[in-house]
mmCIF file of all heavy atoms in Angstrom:
data_model
loop_
_atom_site.group_PDB
_atom_site.id
_atom_site.type_symbol
_atom_site.label_atom_id
_atom_site.label_comp_id
_atom_site.label_asym_id
_atom_site.label_seq_id
_atom_site.Cartn_x
_atom_site.Cartn_y
_atom_site.Cartn_z
ATOM 1 N N ARG J 1 42.926 58.120 16.856
ATOM 2 C CA ARG J 1 42.277 57.987 15.523
ATOM 3 C C ARG J 1 41.373 56.756 15.483
ATOM 4 O O ARG J 1 40.273 56.796 14.943
ATOM 5 C CB ARG J 1 43.337 57.901 14.439
ATOM 6 C CG ARG J 1 44.173 59.157 14.264
ATOM 7 C CD ARG J 1 45.166 59.021 13.132
ATOM 8 N NE ARG J 1 46.124 60.103 13.143
ATOM 9 C CZ ARG J 1 47.319 60.021 13.719
ATOM 10 N NH1 ARG J 1 47.710 58.870 14.292
ATOM 11 N NH2 ARG J 1 48.147 61.046 13.692
ATOM 12 N N PHE J 2 41.869 55.663 16.035
ATOM 13 C CA PHE J 2 41.092 54.420 16.022
ATOM 14 C C PHE J 2 39.822 54.575 16.847
ATOM 15 O O PHE J 2 38.722 54.202 16.401
ATOM 16 C CB PHE J 2 41.923 53.280 16.599
ATOM 17 C CG PHE J 2 41.195 51.970 16.694
ATOM 18 C CD1 PHE J 2 41.047 51.167 15.566
ATOM 19 C CD2 PHE J 2 40.618 51.546 17.894
ATOM 20 C CE1 PHE J 2 40.354 49.956 15.634
ATOM 21 C CE2 PHE J 2 39.927 50.357 17.984
ATOM 22 C CZ PHE J 2 39.792 49.559 16.835
ATOM 23 N N ALA J 3 39.938 55.131 18.055
ATOM 24 C CA ALA J 3 38.754 55.301 18.896
ATOM 25 C C ALA J 3 37.759 56.277 18.304
ATOM 26 O O ALA J 3 36.558 56.110 18.471
ATOM 27 C CB ALA J 3 39.200 55.766 20.279
ATOM 28 N N ALA J 4 38.266 57.275 17.581
ATOM 29 C CA ALA J 4 37.376 58.217 16.911
ATOM 30 C C ALA J 4 36.592 57.550 15.804
ATOM 31 O O ALA J 4 35.394 57.817 15.575
ATOM 32 C CB ALA J 4 38.149 59.412 16.370
ATOM 33 N N ALA J 5 37.245 56.636 15.108
ATOM 34 C CA ALA J 5 36.612 55.951 13.980
ATOM 35 C C ALA J 5 35.722 54.820 14.428
ATOM 36 O O ALA J 5 34.611 54.629 13.914
ATOM 37 C CB ALA J 5 37.679 55.393 13.027
ATOM 38 N N ARG J 6 36.161 54.053 15.407
ATOM 39 C CA ARG J 6 35.437 52.860 15.867
ATOM 40 C C ARG J 6 34.621 53.065 17.115
ATOM 41 O O ARG J 6 33.747 52.282 17.441
ATOM 42 C CB ARG J 6 36.430 51.713 16.112
ATOM 43 C CG ARG J 6 36.893 50.978 14.890
ATOM 44 C CD ARG J 6 35.748 50.397 14.104
ATOM 45 N NE ARG J 6 36.139 49.279 13.281
ATOM 46 C CZ ARG J 6 35.311 48.706 12.411
ATOM 47 N NH1 ARG J 6 34.076 49.157 12.282
ATOM 48 N NH2 ARG J 6 35.714 47.695 11.668
ATOM 49 N N ARG J 7 34.898 54.177 17.848
ATOM 50 C CA ARG J 7 34.273 54.397 19.142
ATOM 51 C C ARG J 7 34.448 53.195 20.065
ATOM 52 O O ARG J 7 33.533 52.788 20.785
ATOM 53 C CB ARG J 7 32.784 54.727 18.963
ATOM 54 C CG ARG J 7 32.542 56.077 18.295
ATOM 55 C CD ARG J 7 33.009 57.216 19.170
ATOM 56 N NE ARG J 7 32.602 58.502 18.646
ATOM 57 C CZ ARG J 7 33.377 59.330 17.942
ATOM 58 N NH1 ARG J 7 34.625 58.966 17.676
ATOM 59 N NH2 ARG J 7 32.951 60.485 17.533
ATOM 60 N N ALA J 8 35.630 52.602 19.984
ATOM 61 C CA ALA J 8 35.981 51.460 20.811
ATOM 62 C C ALA J 8 37.479 51.517 21.069
ATOM 63 O O ALA J 8 38.248 51.924 20.204
ATOM 64 C CB ALA J 8 35.609 50.143 20.130
ATOM 65 N N GLY J 9 37.853 51.136 22.268
ATOM 66 C CA GLY J 9 39.264 51.131 22.617
ATOM 67 C C GLY J 9 39.561 50.055 23.621
ATOM 68 O O GLY J 9 38.949 48.983 23.569
ATOM 69 N N PHE J 10 40.476 50.326 24.545
ATOM 70 C CA PHE J 10 40.845 49.335 25.566
ATOM 71 C C PHE J 10 39.612 48.975 26.424
ATOM 72 O O PHE J 10 39.554 47.890 26.994
ATOM 73 C CB PHE J 10 41.963 49.883 26.444
ATOM 74 C CG PHE J 10 43.327 49.544 25.945
ATOM 75 C CD1 PHE J 10 43.628 49.586 24.587
ATOM 76 C CD2 PHE J 10 44.342 49.197 26.808
ATOM 77 C CE1 PHE J 10 44.879 49.257 24.106
ATOM 78 C CE2 PHE J 10 45.614 48.883 26.354
ATOM 79 C CZ PHE J 10 45.879 48.909 25.001
ATOM 80 N N ASP J 11 38.668 49.897 26.549
ATOM 81 C CA ASP J 11 37.474 49.639 27.369
ATOM 82 C C ASP J 11 36.644 48.498 26.812
ATOM 83 O O ASP J 11 35.979 47.772 27.555
ATOM 84 C CB ASP J 11 36.627 50.886 27.493
ATOM 85 C CG ASP J 11 36.258 51.496 26.156
ATOM 86 O OD1 ASP J 11 37.017 51.339 25.195
ATOM 87 O OD2 ASP J 11 35.195 52.151 26.065
ATOM 88 N N VAL J 12 36.716 48.289 25.496
ATOM 89 C CA VAL J 12 36.013 47.176 24.850
ATOM 90 C C VAL J 12 36.936 45.963 24.743
ATOM 91 O O VAL J 12 36.545 44.850 25.082
ATOM 92 C CB VAL J 12 35.495 47.568 23.453
ATOM 93 C CG1 VAL J 12 34.946 46.359 22.717
ATOM 94 C CG2 VAL J 12 34.420 48.644 23.575
ATOM 95 N N ILE J 13 38.155 46.193 24.313
ATOM 96 C CA ILE J 13 39.105 45.097 24.091
ATOM 97 C C ILE J 13 39.389 44.316 25.380
ATOM 98 O O ILE J 13 39.443 43.097 25.390
ATOM 99 C CB ILE J 13 40.418 45.632 23.499
ATOM 100 C CG1 ILE J 13 40.148 46.224 22.124
ATOM 101 C CG2 ILE J 13 41.476 44.539 23.412
ATOM 102 C CD1 ILE J 13 41.322 47.023 21.551
ATOM 103 N N PHE J 14 39.525 45.048 26.486
ATOM 104 C CA PHE J 14 39.838 44.414 27.773
ATOM 105 C C PHE J 14 38.675 44.548 28.741
ATOM 106 O O PHE J 14 38.889 44.637 29.954
ATOM 107 C CB PHE J 14 41.116 45.010 28.363
ATOM 108 C CG PHE J 14 42.330 44.744 27.521
ATOM 109 C CD1 PHE J 14 42.889 45.776 26.754
ATOM 110 C CD2 PHE J 14 42.918 43.501 27.458
ATOM 111 C CE1 PHE J 14 44.013 45.536 25.945
ATOM 112 C CE2 PHE J 14 44.050 43.264 26.673
ATOM 113 C CZ PHE J 14 44.596 44.275 25.930
ATOM 114 N N ALA J 15 37.457 44.513 28.234
ATOM 115 C CA ALA J 15 36.284 44.679 29.080
ATOM 116 C C ALA J 15 36.227 43.607 30.162
ATOM 117 O O ALA J 15 36.390 42.409 29.885
ATOM 118 C CB ALA J 15 35.014 44.609 28.229
ATOM 119 N N ARG J 16 35.973 44.035 31.385
ATOM 120 C CA ARG J 16 35.933 43.094 32.532
ATOM 121 C C ARG J 16 34.885 42.030 32.341
ATOM 122 O O ARG J 16 35.102 40.857 32.698
ATOM 123 C CB ARG J 16 35.688 43.876 33.805
ATOM 124 C CG ARG J 16 35.616 43.001 35.051
ATOM 125 C CD ARG J 16 35.417 43.842 36.306
ATOM 126 N NE ARG J 16 36.528 44.745 36.539
ATOM 127 C CZ ARG J 16 36.599 45.628 37.545
ATOM 128 N NH1 ARG J 16 35.563 45.696 38.385
ATOM 129 N NH2 ARG J 16 37.631 46.399 37.708
ATOM 130 N N GLU J 17 33.744 42.386 31.775
ATOM 131 C CA GLU J 17 32.647 41.415 31.676
ATOM 132 C C GLU J 17 32.933 40.305 30.694
ATOM 133 O O GLU J 17 32.268 39.259 30.711
ATOM 134 C CB GLU J 17 31.335 42.126 31.267
ATOM 135 C CG GLU J 17 31.335 42.714 29.861
ATOM 136 C CD GLU J 17 30.057 43.456 29.581
ATOM 137 O OE1 GLU J 17 29.937 44.628 29.997
ATOM 138 O OE2 GLU J 17 29.161 42.859 28.957
ATOM 139 N N LEU J 18 33.962 40.477 29.817
ATOM 140 C CA LEU J 18 34.295 39.439 28.866
ATOM 141 C C LEU J 18 35.373 38.485 29.370
ATOM 142 O O LEU J 18 35.628 37.451 28.758
ATOM 143 C CB LEU J 18 34.759 40.079 27.543
ATOM 144 C CG LEU J 18 33.720 40.959 26.826
ATOM 145 C CD1 LEU J 18 34.328 41.521 25.533
ATOM 146 C CD2 LEU J 18 32.426 40.203 26.543
ATOM 147 N N ARG J 19 36.032 38.852 30.466
ATOM 148 C CA ARG J 19 37.140 38.019 30.961
ATOM 149 C C ARG J 19 36.724 36.605 31.338
ATOM 150 O O ARG J 19 37.466 35.652 31.078
ATOM 151 C CB ARG J 19 37.796 38.723 32.152
ATOM 152 C CG ARG J 19 38.510 40.020 31.772
ATOM 153 C CD ARG J 19 39.046 40.725 33.000
ATOM 154 N NE ARG J 19 39.482 42.085 32.693
ATOM 155 C CZ ARG J 19 39.801 43.003 33.594
ATOM 156 N NH1 ARG J 19 39.754 42.694 34.851
ATOM 157 N NH2 ARG J 19 40.160 44.204 33.209
ATOM 158 N N PRO J 20 35.547 36.422 31.970
ATOM 159 C CA PRO J 20 35.158 35.038 32.347
ATOM 160 C C PRO J 20 34.978 34.110 31.159
ATOM 161 O O PRO J 20 34.998 32.877 31.326
ATOM 162 C CB PRO J 20 33.843 35.246 33.104
ATOM 163 C CG PRO J 20 33.885 36.634 33.592
ATOM 164 C CD PRO J 20 34.624 37.405 32.533
ATOM 165 N N LEU J 21 34.826 34.658 29.956
ATOM 166 C CA LEU J 21 34.634 33.815 28.773
ATOM 167 C C LEU J 21 35.902 32.993 28.438
ATOM 168 O O LEU J 21 35.805 31.923 27.862
ATOM 169 C CB LEU J 21 34.299 34.664 27.548
ATOM 170 C CG LEU J 21 32.947 35.368 27.518
ATOM 171 C CD1 LEU J 21 32.840 36.196 26.262
ATOM 172 C CD2 LEU J 21 31.815 34.348 27.580
ATOM 173 N N ARG J 22 37.040 33.561 28.783
ATOM 174 C CA ARG J 22 38.323 32.939 28.427
ATOM 175 C C ARG J 22 38.369 32.607 26.917
ATOM 176 O O ARG J 22 38.772 31.525 26.528
ATOM 177 C CB ARG J 22 38.565 31.683 29.256
ATOM 178 C CG ARG J 22 38.617 31.960 30.743
ATOM 179 C CD ARG J 22 39.016 30.745 31.553
ATOM 180 N NE ARG J 22 39.033 31.026 32.986
ATOM 181 C CZ ARG J 22 40.019 31.599 33.633
ATOM 182 N NH1 ARG J 22 41.092 31.956 32.963
ATOM 183 N NH2 ARG J 22 39.949 31.809 34.950
ATOM 184 N N ASP J 23 37.921 33.586 26.135
ATOM 185 C CA ASP J 23 37.890 33.425 24.681
ATOM 186 C C ASP J 23 39.336 33.443 24.150
ATOM 187 O O ASP J 23 40.021 34.455 24.300
ATOM 188 C CB ASP J 23 37.060 34.549 24.037
ATOM 189 C CG ASP J 23 36.863 34.378 22.559
ATOM 190 O OD1 ASP J 23 37.764 34.795 21.791
ATOM 191 O OD2 ASP J 23 35.839 33.815 22.159
ATOM 192 N N GLU J 24 39.767 32.353 23.498
ATOM 193 C CA GLU J 24 41.158 32.247 23.106
ATOM 194 C C GLU J 24 41.538 33.236 22.007
ATOM 195 O O GLU J 24 42.620 33.802 22.020
ATOM 196 C CB GLU J 24 41.461 30.824 22.640
ATOM 197 C CG GLU J 24 42.933 30.585 22.315
ATOM 198 C CD GLU J 24 43.891 30.971 23.432
ATOM 199 O OE1 GLU J 24 43.551 30.747 24.609
ATOM 200 O OE2 GLU J 24 44.949 31.546 23.137
ATOM 201 N N ALA J 25 40.625 33.456 21.059
ATOM 202 C CA ALA J 25 40.907 34.411 19.988
ATOM 203 C C ALA J 25 41.098 35.809 20.537
ATOM 204 O O ALA J 25 42.016 36.544 20.144
ATOM 205 C CB ALA J 25 39.810 34.394 18.924
ATOM 206 N N LEU J 26 40.239 36.199 21.472
ATOM 207 C CA LEU J 26 40.346 37.520 22.095
ATOM 208 C C LEU J 26 41.625 37.617 22.915
ATOM 209 O O LEU J 26 42.335 38.628 22.869
ATOM 210 C CB LEU J 26 39.128 37.794 22.960
ATOM 211 C CG LEU J 26 39.129 39.104 23.750
ATOM 212 C CD1 LEU J 26 39.386 40.310 22.855
ATOM 213 C CD2 LEU J 26 37.842 39.258 24.536
ATOM 214 N N ALA J 27 41.928 36.556 23.682
ATOM 215 C CA ALA J 27 43.150 36.572 24.500
ATOM 216 C C ALA J 27 44.382 36.707 23.624
ATOM 217 O O ALA J 27 45.305 37.462 23.962
ATOM 218 C CB ALA J 27 43.213 35.291 25.332
ATOM 219 N N GLU J 28 44.424 35.992 22.510
ATOM 220 C CA GLU J 28 45.579 36.048 21.622
ATOM 221 C C GLU J 28 45.712 37.420 21.002
ATOM 222 O O GLU J 28 46.819 37.966 20.880
ATOM 223 C CB GLU J 28 45.451 34.961 20.552
ATOM 224 C CG GLU J 28 46.585 34.955 19.521
ATOM 225 C CD GLU J 28 47.944 34.659 20.142
ATOM 226 O OE1 GLU J 28 47.990 34.110 21.265
ATOM 227 O OE2 GLU J 28 48.957 34.988 19.508
ATOM 228 N N ALA J 29 44.589 38.017 20.580
ATOM 229 C CA ALA J 29 44.639 39.358 19.995
ATOM 230 C C ALA J 29 45.117 40.376 21.022
ATOM 231 O O ALA J 29 45.893 41.305 20.694
ATOM 232 C CB ALA J 29 43.250 39.745 19.479
ATOM 233 N N GLY J 30 44.662 40.209 22.251
ATOM 234 C CA GLY J 30 45.107 41.120 23.330
ATOM 235 C C GLY J 30 46.604 40.956 23.609
ATOM 236 O O GLY J 30 47.314 41.958 23.832
#
């Protein structure tokens, strides 16, 4: 349901290209 509504899922939340950022807010949400 979420992916149908947002067209985003684990592919966006855990995107490889965002890992080098070490964004703390994203890491905590994950």
Side-chain angles (χ1 to χ4, degrees):
R1 294 183 192 95
F2 177 81
R6 280 303 203 186
R7 292 294 188 261
F10 270 40
D11 54 332
V12 172
I13 296 169
F14 296 105
R16 179 178 297 177
E17 67 183 82
L18 299 180
R19 293 175 192 170
L21 292 177
R22 299 186 182 278
D23 186 274
E24 185 53 39
L26 176 55
E28 179 62 20

